[in-house]
Amino acid sequence: MTLLAVERIKLFTTRSPWWCALVALVLTIGFAALIVGNSNEIAPATVASTQFGYSFGMAVIMVLAALSVTTEYRFGTMRTTFQAIPHRGSALIAKTTVVALLSLVIGEISAFGSLGVGMLLKPNADLALNSGADWINVAGVGVIYALAAVIAVSVGILLRHSAGAIALLMIYSLAVESLIQLIPTIGEKIYKWMPFNVADKFLTGNGASNAGRATGDGAPMSTAVLGQGWALLYFAAFAVVLLAIAVTVAKRRDA
């Protein structure tokens, strides 16, 4: 608990988490207002369409998570941390836990905030959470944000440089997975197992929360072959394995 308290203090005494949280909320809720505000009888507002901007908010969350590590390496405070806590794994896991919990909270606020804005803009639309698919599409955003934060912290530990870590995370999550589909013959097969594509499958399932509207107007439909539960486990396993690799590397090199 002491390590968690220390990491919480270190995180919240810097400005970047506050700014990143604000930007993530503005992006996700802003996109919800834009999509729902432009809905009509032909393309009605749905629970999924209120979550259209979650991927943009997730990108900001990963920036926040990466910076929580790389700034410590940049200013040398990580060396002090490792001197005070010889067991580097404990310190890094505590940091990851704090960042993941913050990301979970931001994700839930942004998801339910987006849904609330949709209800305000279109009070007659069917935006009630009437099914498990609806609940997962909204409440699941925070879970995905938390796991994405674990991935970003891991990349930050491995690279130790803010620009490099952020560039890699943004390029991969926003472009690389989609571009893999262009590989002849095997591209589509590989894409079905890409982590962020699988994460989308957890949120959207078979599209039940987007009924009545074009799938492109909600959270992205996934081509992953796993069911929703297995998709979450797959994404979580990817995050945990990457963190384990990062912690192992951190233990073996100079701070």
Side-chain angles (χ1 to χ4, degrees), residues 55 58-70 147-159 161-177 196 235 238 242:
S55 60
M58 182 173 65
V60 178
I61 289 298
M62 288 195 291
V63 171
L64 182 161
L67 287 175
S68 71
V69 176
T70 57
L147 293 173
V150 174
I151 293 172
V153 168
S154 303
V155 172
I157 294 170
L158 291 170
L159 297 187
H161 297 286
S162 298
I166 292 171
L168 177 61
L169 289 165
M170 295 302 98
I171 292 172
Y172 179 82
S173 63
L174 299 177
V176 171
E177 286 199 1
F196 288 97
F235 191 58
F238 177 84
L242 189 59

Side-chain angles (χ1 to χ4, degrees), residues 4-182:
L4 292 176
V6 169
E7 292 300 334
R8 175 182 56 80
I9 293 170
K10 284 163 52 177
L11 182 65
F12 286 106
T13 50
T14 58
R15 295 180 181 179
S16 59
W18 300 102
W19 281 110
C20 287
L22 178 61
V23 172
L25 292 172
V26 169
L27 278 175
T28 51
I29 296 175
F31 269 107
L34 181 64
I35 296 298
V36 175
N38 285 288
S39 63
N40 50 48
E41 293 182 356
I42 298 175
T46 65
V47 172
S49 66
T50 66
Q51 305 304 312
F52 181 84
Y54 94 92
S55 60
F56 299 101
M58 182 173 65
V60 178
I61 289 298
M62 288 195 291
V63 171
L64 182 161
L67 287 175
S68 71
V69 176
T70 57
T71 51
E72 284 214 56
Y73 279 111
R74 178 185 176 187
F75 294 107
T77 55
M78 187 64 81
R79 185 178 296 106
T80 304
T81 297
F82 289 158
Q83 289 174 344
I85 308 168
H87 196 286
R88 296 184 179 186
S90 298
L92 293 173
I93 291 172
K95 177 182 291 294
T96 304
T97 301
V98 170
V99 174
L101 288 174
L102 174 61
S103 301
L104 173 67
V105 172
I106 295 172
E108 297 301 336
I109 293 174
S110 66
F112 282 97
S114 296
L115 181 66
V117 166
M119 290 178 172
L120 288 175
L121 292 176
K122 297 289 182 176
N124 296 322
D126 183 14
L127 297 179
L129 302 180
N130 295 318
S131 67
D134 292 337
W135 276 101
I136 291 174
N137 206 164
V138 179
V141 171
V143 178
I144 295 301
Y145 276 20
L147 293 173
V150 174
I151 293 172
V153 168
S154 303
V155 172
I157 294 170
L158 291 170
L159 297 187
R160 299 193 291 186
H161 297 286
S162 298
I166 292 171
L168 177 61
L169 289 165
M170 295 302 98
I171 292 172
Y172 179 82
S173 63
L174 299 177
V176 171
E177 286 199 1
S178 297
L179 292 175
I180 284 176
Q181 299 177 84
L182 302 178

